[in-house]
Coordinates of all heavy atoms in Angstrom, one line a residue:
M1 N 57.7 3.2 29.8 CA 57.4 4.1 28.7 C 57.1 3.3 27.5 O 56.2 3.6 26.8 CB 58.6 5.0 28.5 CG 58.4 6.1 27.5 SD 57.3 7.2 28.3 CE 57.7 8.7 27.4
I2 N 57.9 2.2 27.2 CA 57.6 1.4 26.1 C 56.2 0.7 26.2 O 55.5 0.5 25.3 CB 58.7 0.3 25.9 CG1 60.0 1.0 25.5 CG2 58.4 -0.7 24.8 CD1 61.2 0.1 25.4
G3 N 55.9 0.3 27.5 CA 54.6 -0.3 27.8 C 53.5 0.6 27.4 O 52.4 0.2 26.9
L4 N 53.6 1.9 27.7 CA 52.6 2.9 27.4 C 52.5 3.0 25.9 O 51.3 3.1 25.4 CB 53.0 4.2 28.0 CG 52.0 5.4 27.7 CD1 50.6 5.1 28.3 CD2 52.5 6.7 28.3
W5 N 53.6 3.0 25.2 CA 53.5 3.1 23.7 C 52.8 1.9 23.1 O 52.0 2.0 22.2 CB 54.9 3.2 23.1 CG 55.5 4.6 23.2 CD1 56.5 5.0 24.1 CD2 55.1 5.8 22.5 NE1 56.7 6.4 24.0 CE2 55.9 6.9 23.0 CE3 54.1 6.1 21.6 CZ2 55.7 8.2 22.6 CZ3 54.0 7.4 21.1 CH2 54.8 8.4 21.6
L6 N 53.1 0.7 23.6 CA 52.5 -0.5 23.1 C 51.0 -0.5 23.4 O 50.2 -0.9 22.6 CB 53.2 -1.7 23.7 CG 54.6 -2.0 23.3 CD1 55.1 -3.2 24.1 CD2 54.6 -2.3 21.8
W7 N 50.7 0.0 24.6 CA 49.3 0.1 25.0 C 48.5 1.1 24.1 O 47.4 0.8 23.6 CB 49.1 0.5 26.4 CG 47.7 0.5 26.9 CD1 46.9 -0.5 27.3 CD2 46.9 1.7 27.0 NE1 45.7 -0.1 27.6 CE2 45.6 1.3 27.4 CE3 47.1 3.1 26.7 CZ2 44.6 2.2 27.6 CZ3 46.0 3.9 26.9 CH2 44.8 3.5 27.4
L8 N 49.1 2.2 23.8 CA 48.5 3.2 22.9 C 48.4 2.7 21.4 O 47.4 2.9 20.8 CB 49.4 4.5 22.9 CG 49.3 5.3 24.1 CD1 50.3 6.5 24.1 CD2 47.9 5.8 24.4
I9 N 49.4 1.9 21.0 CA 49.3 1.3 19.6 C 48.2 0.3 19.6 O 47.4 0.3 18.6 CB 50.7 0.7 19.2 CG1 51.7 1.8 19.0 CG2 50.5 -0.2 18.0 CD1 53.1 1.3 18.8
E10 N 48.1 -0.5 20.6 CA 47.0 -1.5 20.7 C 45.6 -0.8 20.8 O 44.7 -1.2 20.1 CB 47.2 -2.4 21.9 CG 46.2 -3.5 21.9 CD 46.4 -4.5 23.1 OE1 47.5 -4.5 23.7 OE2 45.5 -5.3 23.3
L11 N 45.5 0.3 21.5 CA 44.3 1.0 21.6 C 43.9 1.6 20.3 O 42.8 1.6 19.9 CB 44.4 2.2 22.7 CG 43.2 3.1 22.8 CD1 42.0 2.3 23.3 CD2 43.5 4.2 23.8
Q12 N 44.9 2.2 19.6 CA 44.7 2.7 18.2 C 44.2 1.6 17.3 O 43.3 1.9 16.5 CB 46.0 3.4 17.7 CG 45.8 4.0 16.3 CD 47.0 4.7 15.8 OE1 48.1 4.4 16.3 NE2 46.9 5.5 14.8
S13 N 44.8 0.5 17.4 CA 44.3 -0.6 16.5 C 42.9 -1.0 16.8 O 42.1 -1.3 15.9 CB 45.3 -1.8 16.7 OG 44.7 -3.0 17.0
W14 N 42.5 -1.1 18.1 CA 41.1 -1.4 18.5 C 40.2 -0.3 18.0 O 39.1 -0.6 17.5 CB 41.0 -1.5 20.0 CG 41.4 -2.9 20.5 CD1 42.6 -3.2 21.1 CD2 40.6 -4.1 20.4 NE1 42.6 -4.6 21.4 CE2 41.4 -5.1 21.0 CE3 39.4 -4.4 20.0 CZ2 40.9 -6.4 21.1 CZ3 38.9 -5.7 20.1 CH2 39.7 -6.7 20.6
L15 N 40.6 0.9 18.1 CA 39.8 2.1 17.7 C 39.6 2.0 16.1 O 38.5 2.3 15.6 CB 40.3 3.4 18.1 CG 40.3 3.7 19.6 CD1 41.0 5.0 20.0 CD2 38.8 3.7 20.1
M16 N 40.6 1.7 15.4 CA 40.5 1.6 14.0 C 39.6 0.4 13.6 O 38.8 0.6 12.6 CB 41.9 1.4 13.3 CG 42.7 2.7 13.4 SD 44.3 2.6 12.5 CE 43.8 2.5 10.8
A17 N 39.7 -0.7 14.3 CA 38.8 -1.8 14.0 C 37.4 -1.4 14.3 O 36.5 -1.8 13.5 CB 39.2 -3.0 14.9
L18 N 37.2 -0.7 15.4 CA 35.8 -0.2 15.7 C 35.3 0.7 14.7 O 34.2 0.6 14.2 CB 35.8 0.5 17.1 CG 34.5 1.1 17.5 CD1 33.4 0.0 17.7 CD2 34.7 1.9 18.8
H19 N 36.2 1.6 14.2 CA 35.8 2.6 13.1 C 35.4 1.8 11.9 O 34.4 2.1 11.2 CB 37.0 3.5 12.9 CG 36.8 4.5 11.8 ND1 35.9 5.6 12.0 CD2 37.3 4.6 10.5 CE1 35.9 6.3 10.8 NE2 36.7 5.7 10.0
L20 N 36.2 0.8 11.5 CA 35.8 0.0 10.3 C 34.5 -0.7 10.5 O 33.7 -0.8 9.5 CB 37.0 -1.0 10.0 CG 38.3 -0.3 9.5 CD1 39.4 -1.4 9.3 CD2 38.1 0.4 8.2
W21 N 34.3 -1.3 11.7 CA 33.1 -1.9 12.0 C 31.9 -1.0 11.9 O 30.8 -1.3 11.3 CB 33.1 -2.6 13.3 CG 31.9 -3.3 13.7 CD1 31.5 -4.6 13.3 CD2 30.8 -2.9 14.5 NE1 30.3 -4.9 13.8 CE2 29.8 -3.9 14.5 CE3 30.5 -1.7 15.2 CZ2 28.6 -3.7 15.2 CZ3 29.3 -1.5 15.8 CH2 28.4 -2.6 15.9
L22 N 32.1 0.2 12.4 CA 31.0 1.2 12.3 C 30.7 1.6 10.8 O 29.6 1.9 10.4 CB 31.4 2.5 13.1 CG 31.3 2.3 14.6 CD1 31.8 3.5 15.4 CD2 29.9 1.9 15.1
I23 N 31.8 1.7 10.0 CA 31.6 2.0 8.6 C 30.8 0.9 7.9 O 29.9 1.1 7.1 CB 32.9 2.2 7.9 CG1 33.6 3.6 8.4 CG2 32.8 2.2 6.4 CD1 35.0 3.8 7.9
E24 N 31.1 -0.3 8.3 CA 30.4 -1.5 7.7 C 28.9 -1.5 8.2 O 28.0 -1.7 7.4 CB 31.1 -2.8 8.1 CG 30.4 -4.0 7.4 CD 31.2 -5.3 7.7 OE1 32.3 -5.3 8.3 OE2 30.6 -6.4 7.4
L25 N 28.7 -1.2 9.4 CA 27.4 -1.1 10.0 C 26.6 0.0 9.2 O 25.4 -0.2 8.9 CB 27.4 -0.8 11.5 CG 26.0 -0.6 12.2 CD1 25.2 -1.9 12.0 CD2 26.2 -0.2 13.6
Q26 N 27.2 1.1 9.0 CA 26.6 2.2 8.3 C 26.2 1.8 6.9 O 25.1 2.1 6.4 CB 27.5 3.5 8.2 CG 26.9 4.6 7.6 CD 27.8 5.8 7.5 OE1 29.0 5.7 7.6 NE2 27.3 7.0 7.4
S27 N 27.1 1.0 6.3 CA 26.8 0.5 4.9 C 25.6 -0.4 4.9 O 24.7 -0.3 4.1 CB 28.0 -0.2 4.4 OG 27.7 -0.9 3.2
W28 N 25.5 -1.3 5.9 CA 24.3 -2.2 6.0 C 23.1 -1.4 6.3 O 22.0 -1.7 5.8 CB 24.6 -3.2 7.2 CG 25.4 -4.4 6.7 CD1 26.8 -4.5 7.0 CD2 25.0 -5.5 6.0 NE1 27.2 -5.7 6.4 CE2 26.1 -6.3 5.8 CE3 23.8 -5.9 5.5 CZ2 26.1 -7.5 5.1 CZ3 23.7 -7.1 4.8 CH2 24.9 -7.9 4.6
L29 N 23.2 -0.4 7.2 CA 22.0 0.4 7.5 C 21.5 1.2 6.3 O 20.3 1.3 6.1 CB 22.3 1.3 8.7 CG 22.4 0.7 10.0 CD1 22.9 1.7 11.1 CD2 21.2 -0.1 10.4
M30 N 22.4 1.7 5.5 CA 22.0 2.4 4.2 C 21.4 1.4 3.3 O 20.4 1.8 2.6 CB 23.2 3.1 3.6 CG 23.7 4.3 4.4 SD 25.2 5.0 3.8 CE 24.8 5.5 2.1
A31 N 21.9 0.2 3.2 CA 21.3 -0.8 2.3 C 19.9 -1.1 2.8 O 18.9 -1.2 2.0 CB 22.1 -2.0 2.2
L32 N 19.7 -1.2 4.1 CA 18.4 -1.5 4.7 C 17.4 -0.3 4.4 O 16.3 -0.6 4.0 CB 18.5 -1.7 6.2 CG 17.2 -1.9 6.9 CD1 16.5 -3.2 6.4 CD2 17.5 -2.0 8.4
Q33 N 17.9 0.9 4.5 CA 17.1 2.0 4.2 C 16.7 2.1 2.8 O 15.5 2.3 2.5 CB 17.9 3.3 4.6 CG 17.1 4.6 4.4 CD 17.9 5.8 4.7 OE1 19.1 5.8 4.7 NE2 17.2 6.9 5.0
L34 N 17.6 1.7 1.9 CA 17.2 1.7 0.4 C 16.1 0.6 0.2 O 15.2 0.8 -0.6 CB 18.4 1.4 -0.4 CG 19.4 2.6 -0.5 CD1 20.6 2.2 -1.3 CD2 18.7 3.8 -1.2
W35 N 16.3 -0.6 0.8 CA 15.4 -1.7 0.7 C 14.0 -1.2 1.2 O 13.0 -1.5 0.6 CB 15.9 -2.9 1.5 CG 14.9 -4.1 1.3 CD1 14.9 -4.9 0.3 CD2 14.0 -4.5 2.3 NE1 13.9 -5.9 0.5 CE2 13.3 -5.6 1.7 CE3 13.6 -4.0 3.5 CZ2 12.3 -6.3 2.4 CZ3 12.5 -4.7 4.2 CH2 11.9 -5.8 3.6
L36 N 14.0 -0.5 2.4 CA 12.7 0.0 3.0 C 12.0 1.0 2.1 O 10.8 1.0 1.9 CB 12.9 0.5 4.4 CG 13.3 -0.5 5.4 CD1 13.7 0.2 6.7 CD2 12.1 -1.5 5.6
I37 N 12.8 1.8 1.4 CA 12.3 2.8 0.5 C 11.7 2.1 -0.7 O 10.6 2.4 -1.2 CB 13.4 3.8 0.0 CG1 13.7 4.8 1.2 CG2 12.9 4.6 -1.2 CD1 14.9 5.6 0.9
D38 N 12.3 1.1 -1.2 CA 11.8 0.3 -2.3 C 10.5 -0.4 -1.9 O 9.5 -0.4 -2.7 CB 12.9 -0.8 -2.7 CG 12.5 -1.4 -4.1 OD1 12.0 -0.7 -5.0 OD2 12.7 -2.7 -4.2
L39 N 10.5 -1.0 -0.7 CA 9.3 -1.6 -0.2 C 8.2 -0.6 -0.1 O 7.0 -0.9 -0.5 CB 9.6 -2.3 1.2 CG 8.4 -2.9 1.9 CD1 7.8 -4.1 1.1 CD2 8.8 -3.4 3.3
Q40 N 8.5 0.5 0.4 CA 7.4 1.6 0.6 C 6.9 1.9 -0.8 O 5.7 2.1 -1.0 CB 8.0 2.8 1.2 CG 7.0 3.9 1.5 CD 7.7 5.2 2.1 OE1 8.9 5.4 2.0 NE2 6.9 6.0 2.7
S41 N 7.7 2.0 -1.8 CA 7.3 2.3 -3.2 C 6.4 1.2 -3.7 O 5.3 1.5 -4.3 CB 8.5 2.4 -4.1 OG 8.2 2.4 -5.4
W42 N 6.7 0.0 -3.5 CA 5.8 -1.1 -3.9 C 4.5 -1.1 -3.1 O 3.4 -1.3 -3.7 CB 6.5 -2.5 -3.6 CG 7.5 -2.9 -4.7 CD1 8.8 -2.7 -4.7 CD2 7.2 -3.4 -6.0 NE1 9.4 -3.1 -5.9 CE2 8.4 -3.6 -6.7 CE3 6.0 -3.8 -6.6 CZ2 8.4 -4.1 -8.0 CZ3 6.0 -4.4 -7.9 CH2 7.2 -4.5 -8.5
L43 N 4.5 -0.8 -1.8 CA 3.3 -0.7 -1.1 C 2.4 0.4 -1.5 O 1.2 0.3 -1.6 CB 3.6 -0.6 0.4 CG 4.2 -1.9 1.1 CD1 4.6 -1.6 2.5 CD2 3.2 -3.0 1.0
M44 N 3.0 1.5 -1.9 CA 2.2 2.7 -2.4 C 1.6 2.3 -3.7 O 0.4 2.7 -4.0 CB 3.1 3.9 -2.5 CG 3.5 4.5 -1.1 SD 4.6 5.9 -1.2 CE 3.7 7.1 -2.1
A45 N 2.4 1.6 -4.6 CA 1.8 1.2 -5.9 C 0.6 0.2 -5.6 O -0.4 0.3 -6.3 CB 2.9 0.6 -6.7
L46 N 0.8 -0.7 -4.7 CA -0.3 -1.6 -4.4 C -1.5 -0.9 -3.8 O -2.6 -1.2 -4.2 CB 0.2 -2.6 -3.3 CG -0.8 -3.6 -2.8 CD1 -1.4 -4.5 -4.0 CD2 -0.2 -4.5 -1.7
Q47 N -1.3 0.1 -3.0 CA -2.4 0.9 -2.4 C -3.1 1.6 -3.6 O -4.4 1.7 -3.6 CB -1.8 1.9 -1.4 CG -2.9 2.7 -0.7 CD -2.3 3.6 0.3 OE1 -1.2 4.0 0.3 NE2 -3.2 4.0 1.3
L48 N -2.4 2.2 -4.5 CA -3.0 2.9 -5.6 C -3.8 1.9 -6.5 O -4.9 2.3 -6.9 CB -2.0 3.6 -6.5 CG -1.3 4.9 -5.8 CD1 -0.2 5.4 -6.7 CD2 -2.4 5.9 -5.6
W49 N -3.3 0.7 -6.7 CA -4.0 -0.3 -7.4 C -5.3 -0.7 -6.7 O -6.3 -0.8 -7.4 CB -3.1 -1.5 -7.7 CG -3.8 -2.6 -8.5 CD1 -4.0 -2.6 -9.8 CD2 -4.3 -3.8 -7.9 NE1 -4.6 -3.8 -10.1 CE2 -4.8 -4.5 -9.0 CE3 -4.4 -4.3 -6.6 CZ2 -5.5 -5.7 -8.9 CZ3 -5.0 -5.5 -6.5 CH2 -5.5 -6.2 -7.6
L50 N -5.2 -0.8 -5.4 CA -6.4 -1.2 -4.6 C -7.5 -0.1 -4.7 O -8.7 -0.3 -4.7 CB -6.0 -1.5 -3.2 CG -5.3 -2.8 -3.0 CD1 -4.8 -3.0 -1.6 CD2 -6.1 -4.0 -3.4
I51 N -7.0 1.2 -4.6 CA -7.9 2.3 -4.7 C -8.6 2.3 -6.1 O -9.8 2.5 -6.2 CB -7.2 3.6 -4.4 CG1 -6.8 3.7 -3.0 CG2 -8.0 4.8 -4.9 CD1 -5.9 4.9 -2.6
E52 N -7.8 2.1 -7.1 CA -8.4 2.0 -8.5 C -9.4 0.8 -8.6 O -10.5 1.0 -9.1 CB -7.3 1.8 -9.5 CG -7.8 1.8 -10.9 CD -6.7 1.6 -12.0 OE1 -5.5 1.8 -11.6 OE2 -7.0 1.3 -13.1
L53 N -9.1 -0.3 -8.0 CA -10.0 -1.5 -8.0 C -11.3 -1.1 -7.2 O -12.4 -1.5 -7.7 CB -9.3 -2.7 -7.4 CG -10.0 -4.0 -7.4 CD1 -10.1 -4.4 -8.9 CD2 -9.1 -5.0 -6.7
Q54 N -11.1 -0.5 -6.1 CA -12.3 -0.1 -5.3 C -13.2 0.9 -6.1 O -14.4 0.8 -6.1 CB -11.9 0.5 -4.0 CG -13.0 0.9 -3.1 CD -12.5 1.5 -1.8 OE1 -11.4 2.1 -1.7 NE2 -13.3 1.4 -0.8
S55 N -12.5 1.8 -6.8 CA -13.3 2.8 -7.6 C -14.1 2.1 -8.7 O -15.2 2.4 -9.0 CB -12.3 3.8 -8.2 OG -12.9 4.7 -9.1
R56 N -13.4 1.1 -9.4 CA -14.1 0.4 -10.4 C -15.3 -0.4 -9.9 O -16.3 -0.5 -10.5 CB -13.1 -0.5 -11.2 CG -12.2 0.2 -12.0 CD -11.3 -0.7 -12.7 NE -10.3 0.0 -13.5 CZ -9.5 -0.5 -14.4 NH1 -9.5 -1.8 -14.6 NH2 -8.6 0.2 -15.0
S57 N -15.1 -1.0 -8.7 CA -16.1 -1.8 -8.1 C -17.3 -0.9 -7.7 O -18.5 -1.3 -7.9 CB -15.5 -2.4 -6.8 OG -16.6 -3.0 -6.1
M58 N -17.0 0.3 -7.2 CA -18.1 1.2 -6.8 C -18.8 1.7 -8.1 O -20.1 1.8 -8.1 CB -17.5 2.4 -6.1 CG -17.1 2.1 -4.7 SD -16.2 3.4 -3.8 CE -17.6 4.5 -3.5
A59 N -18.1 1.9 -9.2 CA -18.8 2.3 -10.5 C -19.7 1.1 -11.0 O -20.8 1.4 -11.4 CB -17.7 2.6 -11.5
L60 N -19.2 -0.1 -10.8 CA -20.1 -1.2 -11.2 C -21.3 -1.3 -10.4 O -22.4 -1.6 -10.8 CB -19.3 -2.5 -11.2 CG -18.2 -2.7 -12.3 CD1 -17.4 -4.0 -12.0 CD2 -18.9 -2.8 -13.6
Q61 N -21.1 -1.1 -9.1 CA -22.3 -1.2 -8.1 C -23.3 -0.1 -8.5 O -24.5 -0.3 -8.5 CB -21.8 -1.0 -6.7 CG -21.1 -2.2 -6.1 CD -20.5 -2.0 -4.7 OE1 -20.5 -0.8 -4.3 NE2 -20.1 -3.0 -4.1
H62 N -22.7 1.1 -8.8 CA -23.6 2.2 -9.2 C -24.4 1.9 -10.5 O -25.6 2.1 -10.5 CB -22.8 3.5 -9.4 CG -23.6 4.7 -9.7 ND1 -24.4 5.3 -8.8 CD2 -23.7 5.5 -10.9 CE1 -25.0 6.3 -9.3 NE2 -24.5 6.5 -10.6
R63 N -23.7 1.3 -11.5 CA -24.4 0.9 -12.7 C -25.5 -0.2 -12.4 O -26.6 -0.1 -12.9 CB -23.5 0.3 -13.7 CG -22.7 1.4 -14.4 CD -21.9 0.8 -15.6 NE -20.6 1.4 -15.5 CZ -19.5 0.8 -15.9 NH1 -19.5 -0.5 -16.3 NH2 -18.3 1.4 -15.8
L64 N -25.2 -1.1 -11.5 CA -26.1 -2.2 -11.1 C -27.4 -1.6 -10.4 O -28.5 -1.9 -10.7 CB -25.5 -3.2 -10.2 CG -26.4 -4.3 -9.7 CD1 -26.9 -5.2 -10.9 CD2 -25.6 -5.2 -8.7
I65 N -27.1 -0.6 -9.5 CA -28.2 0.1 -8.9 C -29.1 0.8 -9.9 O -30.3 0.8 -9.8 CB -27.7 1.0 -7.8 CG1 -27.1 0.2 -6.6 CG2 -28.8 2.0 -7.3 CD1 -26.3 1.0 -5.6
D66 N -28.5 1.5 -10.8 CA -29.2 2.2 -11.9 C -30.1 1.2 -12.7 O -31.3 1.5 -13.0 CB -28.3 2.9 -12.8 CG -27.7 4.2 -12.2 OD1 -28.3 4.7 -11.2 OD2 -26.8 4.8 -12.8
K67 N -29.5 0.1 -13.1 CA -30.3 -0.9 -13.8 C -31.4 -1.5 -13.0 O -32.5 -1.7 -13.5 CB -29.4 -2.1 -14.3 CG -28.4 -1.7 -15.4 CD -27.6 -2.8 -15.8 CE -26.7 -2.4 -17.0 NZ -25.8 -3.5 -17.4
Q68 N -31.2 -1.7 -11.7 CA -32.2 -2.2 -10.8 C -33.4 -1.2 -10.7 O -34.5 -1.5 -10.7 CB -31.7 -2.6 -9.4 CG -30.8 -3.8 -9.4 CD -30.2 -4.1 -8.1 OE1 -30.0 -3.2 -7.3 NE2 -29.7 -5.3 -7.9
S69 N -32.9 0.1 -10.6 CA -33.9 1.2 -10.4 C -34.8 1.3 -11.7 O -36.0 1.4 -11.6 CB -33.2 2.5 -10.2 OG -34.1 3.6 -10.2
R70 N -34.1 1.2 -12.9 CA -34.9 1.2 -14.1 C -35.8 0.0 -14.2 O -37.0 0.1 -14.7 CB -33.9 1.2 -15.3 CG -33.4 2.6 -15.6 CD -32.6 2.6 -16.9 NE -31.2 3.1 -16.5 CZ -30.1 2.6 -16.8 NH1 -30.0 1.5 -17.5 NH2 -29.0 3.1 -16.5
S71 N -35.4 -1.2 -13.8 CA -36.2 -2.4 -13.8 C -37.4 -2.2 -12.9 O -38.5 -2.5 -13.3 CB -35.4 -3.6 -13.4 OG -36.2 -4.7 -13.3
I72 N -37.2 -1.6 -11.7 CA -38.3 -1.4 -10.8 C -39.3 -0.4 -11.4 O -40.5 -0.6 -11.3 CB -37.8 -0.9 -9.4 CG1 -37.1 -2.1 -8.7 CG2 -38.9 -0.4 -8.6 CD1 -36.3 -1.7 -7.5
T73 N -38.8 0.6 -12.0 CA -39.6 1.6 -12.7 C -40.5 1.0 -13.8 O -41.7 1.2 -13.9 CB -38.8 2.8 -13.3 OG1 -38.0 3.4 -12.2 CG2 -39.7 3.8 -13.9
L74 N -39.8 0.1 -14.6 CA -40.6 -0.6 -15.7 C -41.6 -1.5 -15.1 O -42.8 -1.6 -15.6 CB -39.6 -1.3 -16.6 CG -38.7 -0.5 -17.5 CD1 -37.7 -1.4 -18.2 CD2 -39.6 0.3 -18.5
Q75 N -41.3 -2.2 -14.0 CA -42.2 -3.1 -13.3 C -43.4 -2.3 -12.8 O -44.6 -2.7 -12.9 CB -41.5 -3.9 -12.2 CG -40.6 -5.0 -12.7 CD -39.8 -5.6 -11.5 OE1 -40.0 -5.3 -10.4 NE2 -39.0 -6.6 -11.9
Q76 N -43.1 -1.2 -12.2 CA -44.2 -0.3 -11.7 C -45.1 0.2 -12.8 O -46.3 0.2 -12.6 CB -43.6 0.9 -10.9 CG -44.6 1.7 -10.2 CD -45.4 0.9 -9.1 OE1 -44.8 0.2 -8.3 NE2 -46.7 1.1 -9.1
R77 N -44.5 0.5 -13.9 CA -45.4 1.0 -15.1 C -46.2 -0.2 -15.5 O -47.4 0.0 -15.9 CB -44.5 1.5 -16.2 CG -43.9 2.8 -15.9 CD -43.0 3.3 -17.1 NE -42.3 4.4 -16.8 CZ -41.2 4.9 -17.5 NH1 -40.8 4.2 -18.6 NH2 -40.6 5.9 -17.1
S78 N -45.7 -1.4 -15.6 CA -46.4 -2.5 -16.1 C -47.6 -2.8 -15.1 O -48.7 -3.1 -15.5 CB -45.5 -3.7 -16.2 OG -46.2 -4.9 -16.5
I79 N -47.3 -2.7 -13.8 CA -48.4 -2.9 -12.8 C -49.4 -1.9 -13.0 O -50.6 -2.2 -12.9 CB -47.8 -3.0 -11.4 CG1 -46.9 -4.2 -11.2 CG2 -48.9 -2.9 -10.3 CD1 -46.1 -4.2 -9.9
D80 N -49.0 -0.6 -13.2 CA -50.0 0.5 -13.3 C -50.9 0.2 -14.6 O -52.1 0.4 -14.5 CB -49.3 1.8 -13.4 CG -48.6 2.3 -12.1 OD1 -49.0 1.7 -11.1 OD2 -47.8 3.2 -12.1
Q81 N -50.2 -0.2 -15.7 CA -51.0 -0.5 -16.9 C -52.0 -1.6 -16.7 O -53.1 -1.6 -17.2 CB -50.0 -0.8 -18.1 CG -49.3 0.4 -18.6 CD -48.3 0.1 -19.6 OE1 -48.0 -1.1 -19.9 NE2 -47.6 1.1 -20.2
Q82 N -51.5 -2.7 -16.0 CA -52.4 -3.8 -15.8 C -53.5 -3.4 -14.9 O -54.7 -3.8 -15.1 CB -51.6 -4.9 -15.1 CG -50.6 -5.7 -16.0 CD -49.8 -6.7 -15.3 OE1 -50.0 -6.9 -14.1 NE2 -48.9 -7.3 -16.0
S83 N -53.3 -2.5 -13.9 CA -54.3 -2.1 -13.0 C -55.3 -1.2 -13.8 O -56.5 -1.4 -13.6 CB -53.7 -1.2 -11.9 OG -54.6 -0.7 -11.1
R84 N -54.9 -0.4 -14.7 CA -55.8 0.4 -15.5 C -56.6 -0.5 -16.4 O -57.8 -0.3 -16.6 CB -55.0 1.5 -16.3 CG -54.7 2.7 -15.5 CD -54.1 3.8 -16.4 NE -52.8 4.1 -15.9 CZ -51.6 4.0 -16.5 NH1 -51.6 3.7 -17.8 NH2 -50.5 4.2 -15.9
S85 N -55.9 -1.5 -17.0 CA -56.6 -2.4 -17.9 C -57.7 -3.2 -17.1 O -58.8 -3.3 -17.7 CB -55.6 -3.4 -18.5 OG -56.2 -4.3 -19.3
I86 N -57.4 -3.6 -15.9 CA -58.4 -4.3 -15.1 C -59.6 -3.4 -14.8 O -60.7 -3.8 -14.8 CB -57.7 -4.9 -13.8 CG1 -56.8 -6.0 -14.2 CG2 -58.8 -5.4 -12.9 CD1 -55.9 -6.6 -13.1
T87 N -59.2 -2.2 -14.4 CA -60.2 -1.2 -14.1 C -61.2 -0.9 -15.3 O -62.4 -0.8 -15.1 CB -59.6 0.1 -13.6 OG1 -58.7 -0.2 -12.5 CG2 -60.6 1.1 -13.1
L88 N -60.6 -0.8 -16.5 CA -61.4 -0.5 -17.7 C -62.3 -1.7 -18.0 O -63.4 -1.5 -18.5 CB -60.5 -0.2 -18.8 CG -59.8 1.1 -18.8 CD1 -58.8 1.3 -20.0 CD2 -60.8 2.3 -18.8
H89 N -61.9 -2.9 -17.8 CA -62.7 -4.1 -18.1 C -63.8 -4.3 -17.1 O -64.7 -5.0 -17.4 CB -61.8 -5.3 -18.2 CG -60.9 -5.3 -19.4 ND1 -61.4 -5.4 -20.7 CD2 -59.6 -5.3 -19.6 CE1 -60.4 -5.3 -21.6 NE2 -59.3 -5.3 -20.9
H90 N -63.7 -3.8 -15.9 CA -64.8 -4.0 -14.9 C -65.6 -2.8 -14.9 O -66.1 -2.0 -15.0 CB -64.2 -4.2 -13.5 CG -63.5 -5.5 -13.4 ND1 -64.1 -6.7 -13.8 CD2 -62.2 -5.9 -13.0 CE1 -63.2 -7.7 -13.6 NE2 -62.1 -7.2 -13.1

């Protein structure tokens, strides 16, 4: 009977140790979860920054295309004027 009591006390001690270990594990997992949430926040901020950078880049490309288009239009007008001038002189 005493052996059974000792065995139960030892079992209870092992179960309490396991319980404490599980609490510690839960604490570590919660810390990891918070770290992952923080990382996700940083990654989302980076993604937003990259989207903004891409938007600015596209706006600059659009402006460049507009300037090139205006330049081509001016060149075409100049060629047309030269052509008219040549035609008038001949």
Side-chain angles (χ1 to χ4, degrees):
M1 189 71 154
I2 293 176
L4 179 61
W5 283 108
L6 291 176
W7 182 81
L8 288 174
I9 290 171
E10 187 175 345
L11 178 61
Q12 183 181 15
S13 129
W14 278 100
L15 290 174
M16 288 184 71
L18 176 62
H19 179 72
L20 292 175
W21 181 81
L22 289 173
I23 290 172
E24 186 176 348
L25 177 62
Q26 182 181 22
S27 169
W28 279 98
L29 290 174
M30 287 174 63
L32 176 62
Q33 184 179 20
L34 290 175
W35 181 82
L36 289 172
I37 289 170
D38 191 41
L39 176 62
Q40 183 181 23
S41 168
W42 278 98
L43 289 174
M44 288 174 66
L46 176 61
Q47 185 179 23
L48 289 175
W49 180 77
L50 289 172
I51 289 170
E52 182 180 343
L53 188 63
Q54 183 181 25
S55 172
R56 289 181 183 190
S57 172
M58 290 173 70
L60 288 173
Q61 287 175 349
H62 184 67
R63 282 189 224 147
L64 179 61
I65 289 170
D66 283 348
K67 286 181 181 182
Q68 288 173 340
S69 175
R70 281 188 234 127
S71 174
I72 290 170
T73 302
L74 290 174
Q75 288 174 359
Q76 185 62 44
R77 285 182 191 163
S78 174
I79 291 170
D80 290 346
Q81 287 174 353
Q82 289 174 3
S83 176
R84 277 188 241 122
S85 175
I86 290 172
T87 304
L88 290 176
H89 288 296
H90 289 308

